[in-house]
């Protein structure tokens, strides 16, 4: 079968999540046909996996303008912009209606297995850019299919590839064998079966981001509830407790995001969780009762736990892109022009610079990684970032470089200073004996309880400790 002329082809969008559906809306707004390929059975399949979790962004920040324009003729009503949706709300009230409007442009049960240039593997230069893209997929019934595209926007996210518990980026020894006691998602403690799994149990929570904050807050609520007595969390961090450990607090321009960190702090302060610092998991072992014992790289063994919640971030699946030419940062696996803007090894106070097609481009012209996948292994992605990305990318595909280069977004600041908490070594100004941000590895209980939403003291100029 000969490939058709490129100009006659749709743009293939991989993933019917927030960024993918927004990309389709922006393409339609520019009279370009999208074809959205979704591996799951519904729109927002990954979002539905955390339907019980409330977003820290409001409805006003998670609806794309082009998508809203597409929905308007259907009588769709924008939810109250000032309220906070759950993942389930986002999927049911916005993502699925948007996919329904797109109709046959969205194909479900379509798992992309490969992307290349028609008749060209990644080695061949000759006439490469004149060839359309070829996309291989597998349908839910096992049938294989081949499609052609003028461009490919990969918005498949990172949800299916969570990072392991091991401190070296590899699964800890025994981690796979302990799968019956480990989850890599924030558990839905409103589900009676899930609730029974953690009620009265000792649970380790590994991670230091918003998901870990949420899990700690949920477990604290469980411990305080009828039937949950005895539930206790052990929060395992790879570095010490510092000002940024609990996020931006009241300095965060997304108040609900700041409140998550304060809720985690309250869980520790109130005695519902203990924090183990400077602990990098090397192995999972079993005691005589079958409970899990976590062993650290420094030889420490923690007291046995019944369950483990691993929330150490996500990483992109690049396997089906092996035949296209990508230029990815060797550390973050994000586009090289974007990586310096989001690198957690470098970022301190403030915000991420809004970005578009130029930062997302690759040597293979016409391929874009957008949404959470564009961040590779970097954390703290916002939906509004993805919407700005796909607006710019759609303009670039349409040939409107002025619109593609224009910045139409201001991102909120986190209020977090001193890096993202990925280091063992404190910042230079914290390294002397008077520093407050890098205690020696130990089991700690923080001091004075802090109510969620209570005012925080202003941090010293240039410091990280609030």
């Amino acid at each position: 079968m000969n490939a058709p002329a490129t100009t006659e082809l749709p743009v293939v969008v991989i993933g019917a999540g927030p960024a993918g559906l927004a990309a389709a809306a922006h393409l339609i707004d520019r009279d370009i046909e999208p074809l959205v390929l979704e591996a799951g059975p519904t729109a927002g399949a990954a979002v539905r996996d955390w339907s019980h979790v409330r977003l820290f962004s409001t409805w006003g920040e998670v609806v794309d303008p082009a998508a809203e324009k597409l929905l308007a003729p259907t009588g769709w009503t924008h939810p109250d912009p000032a309220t906070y949706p759950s993942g389930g709300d986002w999927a049911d009230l916005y993502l699925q209606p948007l996919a329904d409007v797109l109709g046959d442009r969205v194909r479900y049960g379509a798992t992309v297995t490969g992307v290349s240039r028609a008749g060209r593997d990644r080695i061949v230069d000759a006439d490469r850019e004149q060839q359309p893209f070829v996309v291989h997929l597998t349908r839910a019934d096992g049938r294989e299919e081949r499609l052609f595209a003028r461009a490919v926007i990969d918005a498949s996210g990172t949800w299916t590839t969570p990072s392991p518990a091991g401190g070296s980026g590899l699964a800890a020894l025994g981690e796979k064998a302990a799968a019956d006691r480990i989850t890599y998602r924030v558990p839905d403690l409103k589900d009676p079966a899930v609730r029974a799994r953690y009620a009265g149990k000792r649970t380790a929570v590994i991670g230091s981001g918003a998901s870990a904050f949420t899990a700690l807050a949920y477990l604290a609520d469980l411990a305080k509830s009828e039937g949950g007595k005895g539930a206790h969390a052990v929060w395992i961090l790879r570095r010490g407790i510092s000002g940024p450990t609990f996020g931006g607090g009241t300095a965060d321009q997304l108040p609900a995001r700041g409140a998550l960190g304060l809720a985690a702090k309250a869980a520790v302060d109130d005695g519902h969780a203990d924090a183990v610092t400077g602990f990098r998991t090397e192995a999972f072992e079993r005691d005589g009762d079958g409970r899990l014992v976590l062993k650290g790289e420094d030889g420490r063994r923690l007291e046995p736990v019944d369950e483990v919640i691993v929330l150490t971030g996500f990483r992109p699946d690049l396997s089906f892109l092996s035949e296209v030419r990508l230029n990815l940062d060797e550390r973050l696996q994000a586009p090289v022009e974007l990586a310096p803007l989001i690198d957690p090894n470098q970022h301190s106070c403030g915000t991420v610079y809004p970005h578009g097609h130029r930062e997302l481009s690759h040597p293979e012209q016409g391929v874009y990684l957008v949404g959470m996948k564009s961040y590779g292994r970097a954390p703290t992605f916002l939906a509004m970032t993805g919407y700005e990305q796909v607006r710019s990318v759609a303009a670039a595909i349409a040939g409107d470089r002025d619109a593609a280069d224009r910045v139409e977004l201001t991102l909120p600041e986190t209020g977090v200073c001193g890096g993202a908490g990925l280091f063992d070594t404190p910042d230079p100004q914290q390294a002397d004996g008077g520093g407050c941000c890098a205690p020696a590895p130990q089991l700690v209980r923080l001091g004075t309880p802090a109510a969620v939403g209570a005012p925080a003291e202003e941090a010293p100029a240039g410091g990280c400790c609030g």
Side-chain angles (χ1 to χ4, degrees):
M1 175 180 176
N2 293 326
T6 302
T7 55
E8 302 172 2
L9 297 172
V11 173
V12 164
V13 179
I14 306 173
L21 293 175
H26 281 277
L27 289 167
I28 289 173
D29 195 46
R30 291 185 169 275
D31 297 322
I32 299 173
E33 274 298 301
L35 177 58
V36 182
L37 303 177
E38 167 57 47
T42 63
V47 173
R48 292 179 188 278
D49 279 352
W50 49 271
S51 60
H52 57 290
V53 177
R54 192 162 299 281
L55 280 73
F56 51 67
S57 296
T58 64
W59 270 114
E61 296 160 333
V62 298
V63 173
D64 177 79
E68 186 172 3
K69 179 181 176 182
L70 200 61
L71 283 163
T74 71
W76 180 81
T77 302
H78 194 305
D80 183 350
T83 60
Y84 294 89
S86 67
D89 296 335
W90 202 18
D92 290 337
L93 302 180
Y94 168 63
L95 298 178
Q96 192 61 59
L98 178 54
D100 292 343
V101 169
L102 292 169
D104 293 340
R105 295 183 177 102
V106 181
R107 296 191 189 180
Y108 301 110
T111 301
V112 174
T113 58
V115 177
S116 187
R117 291 280 190 176
R120 307 288 189 274
D121 62 22
R122 67 181 297 156
I123 298 175
V124 179
D125 290 333
D127 298 323
R128 185 177 190 86
E129 293 183 5
Q130 283 69 52
Q131 305 305 313
F133 290 96
V134 59
V135 179
H136 285 211
L137 61 93
T138 301
R139 303 304 299 262
D141 60 5
R143 289 182 295 120
E144 293 183 307
E145 190 174 344
R146 181 177 68 164
L147 304 172
F148 293 100
R150 62 186 288 184
V152 175
I153 300 175
D154 183 358
S156 60
T158 57
W159 183 250
T160 60
T161 47
S163 296
S168 301
L170 305 173
L173 300 179
E175 183 172 347
K176 294 178 182 178
D180 61 320
R181 299 289 184 95
I182 301 175
T183 182
Y184 297 86
R185 306 287 188 265
V186 175
D188 182 2
L189 297 183
K190 293 181 180 179
D191 182 318
V194 177
R195 190 178 184 85
R197 176 175 175 175
Y198 296 95
K201 302 293 179 62
R202 182 177 168 87
T203 300
V205 177
I206 305 176
S208 59
S211 294
F213 296 163
T214 302
L216 290 167
Y218 283 6
L219 291 170
D221 287 342
L222 175 63
K224 292 181 283 188
S225 69
E226 185 177 350
K229 186 177 181 180
H232 191 79
V234 180
W235 186 20
I236 298 174
L237 299 112
R238 293 171 180 171
R239 70 171 300 180
I241 296 290
S242 67
T245 297
F246 298 100
T250 56
D252 197 319
Q253 291 183 8
L254 292 178
R257 181 172 60 186
L260 280 177
L262 295 177
K265 185 177 187 298
V268 178
D269 290 342
D270 293 345
H272 299 300
D274 292 316
V276 179
T277 63
F279 190 93
R280 295 180 178 272
T281 307
E282 180 183 78
F284 288 82
E285 301 172 350
R286 301 262 187 177
D287 70 0
D289 297 324
R291 302 173 81 200
L292 295 180
V293 176
L294 277 64
K295 178 185 176 184
E297 292 179 351
D298 58 4
R300 281 183 294 165
R301 284 178 169 82
L302 304 184
E303 293 182 17
V305 296
D306 302 287
E307 300 287 342
V308 179
I309 303 172
V310 179
L311 301 168
T312 53
F314 297 86
R315 52 188 60 179
D317 176 9
L318 301 168
S319 59
F320 60 85
L321 300 174
S322 61
E323 292 305 314
V324 292
R325 298 171 177 179
L326 302 180
N327 193 10
L328 299 175
D329 180 78
E330 62 183 8
R331 295 168 299 174
L332 299 186
Q333 294 179 298
V336 292
E337 296 297 325
L338 174 60
L341 306 180
I342 60 175
D343 188 348
N345 292 291
Q346 300 175 13
H347 270 258
S348 186
C349 296
T351 184
V352 175
Y353 180 79
H355 52 275
H357 76 106
R358 292 193 183 278
E359 291 85 359
L360 299 171
S361 64
H362 295 280
E364 195 77 72
Q365 294 184 24
V367 171
Y368 300 93
L369 276 58
V370 302
M372 288 192 68
K373 191 162 186 176
S374 71
Y375 268 40
R377 299 192 183 199
T380 321
F381 184 82
L382 297 175
M384 62 183 84
T385 300
Y387 297 157
E388 172 66 4
Q389 288 178 341
V390 298
R391 181 204 63 77
S392 173
V393 166
I397 292 173
D400 186 350
R401 292 291 165 153
D402 288 340
D405 289 339
R406 189 166 59 242
V407 174
E408 298 184 1
L409 174 68
T410 300
L411 291 170
E413 297 185 1
T414 65
V416 177
C417 306
L422 303 185
F423 307 100
D424 292 317
T425 304
D427 290 342
Q429 66 265 31
Q430 306 155 19
D432 59 23
C436 66
C437 296
Q442 58 184 315
L443 182 68
V444 298
R445 180 161 295 163
L446 300 188
T448 307
V452 174
E457 294 182 1
E458 185 176 354
C464 76
C465 302

